[in-house]
Each structure stands twice: as structure tokens, then as C-alpha cells.
Amino acid sequence: MIRVVVIDDEALVRTGFTHILDAADDIEVVAAVSGAQGATCVAELRPDIVLLDIRMPDTDGLTVLERIRRLPDPPVVAMLTTFDTDEYVATALRRGAAGYLLKDTDPERLPLLIAELADGATVLSATVTRTVVSGYLDHVEGGSGEPAATRLVDRITDRERAVLLLLAEGLANSEIGDRLHLSTGTVKGHVSAILGKLEVGTRVQAALLAERAGLLRPVRDGDGGER
């Protein structure tokens, strides 16, 4: 069972997401709360996935994200936004968000996207543009742009590079394991090593860095396609 917390200041949004996700057999929304309650709720309930509104009037979504990311073994956080050009998205990815979804995501797709997030997949809205997220590399230690990305990618082993290429396609741990004939646990170990060597905090940052370094693999979008 995938345990989810929805954090949004709009009651209608909370109710809608809860109704859609609770209808899935393997997903349980354990709480749906406003931004002010968000970090405390997550600390108490320890969900697997958090859907977090990026803009809330009572509490800044980026602040809530930072508090959640400071928790021991923090859950996967996907940001919710109304606009695919939201200028806060790049900041959220730099601060540890695993991806983001538009609030008008197809309801039939939403449970599948939650399952993919739980399995380690990179999930972005279908309309996300590289200009929204590419700015995160400016904050990578050692510089920005292709030279810095290449230097970081050169640190990893051949096996880790193979994992990174599949990670950059947005594949989940189980899918990477199937492709490379590895156990899911082994894939998780490689991913952890990759994140450390690339000096990034999340898979989506590693995937985008790999693209910037010239590995040129598409990232899966929120509608199941590729970019």
C-alpha cells in the first residue's frame, strides 16, 4: 500500500485528489491538510509520497518542502502547480522535489503516476520545458553548464553510467533492474552512489544533469510519453 499525504490550501483540491487516489486498490491517502499543517503531518505519519502545492497563501510550499526534506529518510515529494511555467519549479527541484504535476493532470493517470513515483521514477508534467528546470545546474558546486556536468558524470563507473542512462529516461528502479538484469536493491545502491558522485539530491536532478552532459536521454512526462 502506497501511503500519500496531500498538502494544499484549497479544500476542493484536497478532496479531489483524495477521492481519485483512494479509489485505487494500492494507494491510501492518509491525510489531506493545509500548508500550515503539512510538515508536522508528514513527520507524524511518515507517508511514502507527498503531493505538495507549490504556492499557498498561508505557508510557502518551498518552505514546507525544505522542512520535509530535513526529516530523517524523507518521503518522495512531488509539487503541485496550476501553471507549467511556474518560476518556483526550478527552485523546488533544486531543493529536493522529485518532480511536479499540474493540478489538471488526467485523473485516470494520477494513480499510475503515484505508483511510478513510489518506484523511483522521474515524473514531470507533459508540458514542462527545459527552460523551467535547467537553472538548477547553476547551483551545482564547481560551475554550471556542460563542462561542469561532464566533470561530474566522469566520476561514475561504467555500470553506474548504464543505470544513469536509464534513470535519465525516467525509468523506475524495477524497470532499470529488468533492463540490466539487476535486483531492485542493487539498483537502489547504484542510484545512491550516483547521486553522491553527481552532488545532487534527487533523481530528477541527476537525470537533467545527464542530459546537460550530453547523454541525451528523454525524461518521461506525466502523460506517459517522452520528450
Side-chain angles (χ1 to χ4, degrees):
M1 184 67 70
I2 303 171
R3 303 172 73 250
V4 178
V5 167
V6 178
I7 303 174
D8 195 292
D9 273 359
E10 296 183 37
L12 184 60
V13 172
R14 297 197 301 267
T15 300
F17 273 83
T18 299
H19 177 74
I20 294 168
L21 295 176
D22 276 346
D25 293 335
D26 56 351
I27 300 175
E28 177 187 8
V29 177
V30 295
V33 298
S34 66
Q37 302 167 289
T40 300
C41 178
V42 171
E44 292 176 352
L45 297 178
R46 310 299 296 170
D48 304 298
I49 304 292
V50 174
L51 299 182
L52 172 61
D53 188 10
I54 201 167
R55 294 193 187 210
M56 296 179 287
D58 69 339
T59 304
D60 178 23
L62 296 176
T63 299
V64 177
L65 172 64
E66 288 187 334
R67 291 172 181 169
I68 292 173
R69 291 292 298 170
R70 287 199 295 266
L71 295 173
D73 191 21
V76 173
V77 181
M79 308 305 293
L80 297 173
T81 181
T82 305
F83 306 104
D84 63 315
T85 55
D86 195 317
E87 64 267 29
Y88 292 133
V89 169
T91 302
L93 295 178
R94 286 196 299 268
R95 295 185 185 182
Y100 85 93
L101 300 171
L102 296 182
K103 291 185 180 182
D104 62 357
T105 295
D106 184 349
E108 294 185 359
R109 287 281 303 156
L110 189 59
L112 178 58
L113 297 177
I114 295 299
E116 290 178 349
L117 283 166
D119 197 26
T122 297
V123 175
L124 300 175
S125 166
T127 52
V128 68
T129 61
R130 283 182 174 83
T131 58
V132 174
V133 295
S134 63
Y136 90 93
L137 267 182
D138 293 338
H139 295 256
V140 174
E141 183 177 352
S144 62
E146 288 79 0
T150 300
R151 287 195 299 271
L152 292 171
V153 168
D154 284 345
R155 298 176 177 179
I156 64 177
T157 66
D158 289 342
R159 173 60 78 182
E160 289 165 352
R161 182 182 290 264
V163 172
L164 177 59
L165 285 172
L166 296 177
L167 182 156
E169 293 182 23
L171 298 187
N173 291 331
S174 59
E175 294 171 314
I176 295 173
D178 289 342
R179 294 277 192 93
L180 299 180
H181 306 290
L182 300 172
S183 70
T184 301
T186 299
V187 173
K188 288 181 179 179
H190 284 313
V191 171
S192 179
I194 289 168
L195 297 183
K197 292 179 180 180
L198 298 186
E199 299 179 8
V200 295
T202 66
R203 298 165 71 103
V204 68
Q205 293 171 342
L208 292 169
L209 192 147
E211 291 183 315
R212 182 65 65 87
L215 301 186
L216 300 178
R217 289 294 192 271
V219 176
R220 177 179 302 171
D221 65 37
D223 289 333
E226 293 180 341
R227 298 186 293 104

